[in-house]
Amino acid sequence: MSALYRGMDQASLDAAYNNSAAVQNSTALMAEFDILSEQMRGQATAHVGLRYGPAPRQLIDYFPAKKPGPLLVFIHGGYWQMRSKDSFSFIAKGLNEHGLHVALVGYTLAPNISITGMAGEVKAALAWLAANASDFGGDSSRMLLSGWSAGAHLTAMCMDAPCVVAGLAISGVYDLEPVRLSYLNDKLKLQTEDVPEISPITLRQSPKPMLIAYGQSELAELQRQSLAFHAARVTAGMPGALLAMPGLNHFTILRELSHAQGALALAAKDICTESTAQM
């Protein structure tokens, strides 16, 4: 077969973006995340299913800290076409221990909506939180936007929301040309002309700080995506760091957000502390 992208043929390109196949115990890890997330949603303090719009998945789950404080808004992954916020509630536990409120955003998936439409839904959720987070103790003037995988892409797409002060993008995809050429496009239906408008790496870079994190045991293409996006931001003179995390794959990296001493939980706390100092 002929080369399709960066010297890869179709089979190689598809494998280069298939995280579930690359991580042999990914099904078991997701099952673990589901159990831990159900426990979080069952807590008496949790506010589950807050509606920010009329579509079925336009819901927010809110996990308050014990005292008023900054708010981390998390966007789940699933290559824009699978999974839901319900599987990721577990990430709130360690963040709450640091005094961060946590909101998980649901959004409509492909093929029922375009990626541009998903970004619009996330921005609507952010606007809802800006208006309502104070009811739960969250400080909307200190809102950190975060996401994993496709959620990291949507984080980068939504950094211009007025309420967002900084970003934490985890294991993301920031150039969607290889996605367009891969098996992932069966549901996304991306066209050549769509790619520049939905690829954060080609868009005007946000001047807000962004930490870009990835696992060094992830697929090589996923690592390259983070490296290239960070390089684009450096070239544009925008603030933020690159965090390469040894020994972590596309799924285990989330544990570093879910417990208080995890590297990503500590980074989120530091980002919120720095944003407060600059106010």
Side-chain angles (χ1 to χ4, degrees):
M1 296 177 66
S2 60
L4 185 64
Y5 180 80
R6 296 179 64 86
M8 293 179 279
D9 61 19
Q10 188 69 66
S12 298
L13 178 59
D14 288 347
Y17 280 86
N18 193 331
N19 292 299
S20 295
V23 179
Q24 293 184 352
N25 64 335
S26 60
T27 300
L29 287 168
M30 286 305 305
E32 172 193 317
F33 296 167
D34 283 337
I35 291 170
L36 295 173
S37 293
E38 186 175 358
Q39 293 171 357
M40 283 296 299
R41 292 198 308 280
Q43 292 186 355
T45 55
H47 301 275
V48 177
L50 302 170
R51 182 162 290 284
Y52 71 86
R57 294 174 64 100
Q58 290 180 334
L59 299 169
I60 293 169
D61 293 344
Y62 193 103
F63 301 92
K66 291 181 179 179
K67 298 187 296 184
L71 172 61
L72 181 143
V73 182
F74 185 82
I75 311 168
H76 73 83
Y79 274 145
W80 309 274
Q81 57 195 269
M82 59 182 177
R83 309 203 191 283
S84 79
K85 62 177 174 52
D86 296 357
S87 294
F88 300 92
S89 306
F90 77 101
I91 62 104
K93 186 176 186 297
L95 296 167
N96 284 168
E97 292 176 22
H98 285 305
L100 276 65
H101 293 239
V102 178
L104 286 93
V105 173
Y107 55 95
T108 307
L109 302 179
N112 295 318
I113 194 173
S114 67
I115 288 179
T116 300
M118 295 175 205
E121 290 190 352
V122 170
K123 289 182 178 180
L126 292 169
W128 188 94
L129 285 164
N132 295 281
S134 61
D135 294 344
F136 310 103
D139 183 352
S140 60
S141 71
R142 291 185 286 163
M143 192 180 296
L144 170 62
L145 185 58
S146 182
W148 166 76
S149 197
H153 163 270
L154 291 171
T155 294
M157 290 286 290
C158 297
M159 287 292 292
D160 60 343
C163 53
V164 172
V165 298
L168 170 56
I170 306 165
S171 301
V173 178
Y174 310 103
D175 175 3
L176 271 67
E177 177 62 8
V179 171
R180 182 186 71 82
L181 296 169
S182 76
Y183 75 101
L184 296 167
N185 206 35
D186 291 348
K187 287 186 178 179
L188 297 173
K189 307 298 183 186
L190 300 179
Q191 302 297 314
T192 302
E193 60 270 21
D194 299 328
V195 171
E197 298 301 318
I198 55 173
S199 292
I201 198 169
T202 61
L203 297 174
R204 181 179 180 273
Q205 298 300 319
S206 169
K208 300 171 185 176
M210 177 179 283
L211 176 62
I212 300 167
Y214 69 94
Q216 290 184 308
S217 291
E218 297 203 53
L219 285 164
E221 267 293 290
L222 269 291
Q223 296 186 54
R224 185 190 65 80
Q225 287 268 356
S226 290
L227 290 162
F229 184 46
H230 176 68
R233 287 184 54 80
V234 169
T235 298
M238 299 308 172
L242 181 70
L243 180 59
M245 307 182 71
L248 299 177
N249 63 44
H250 195 68
F251 296 88
T252 56
I253 195 170
L254 286 172
R255 290 173 174 163
E256 296 297 312
L257 192 62
S258 67
H259 63 90
Q261 295 309 306
L264 293 177
L266 292 169
K269 181 192 72 170
D270 290 345
I271 292 169
C272 290
T273 300
E274 290 168 5
S275 67
T276 300
Q278 294 170 5
M279 291 175 64

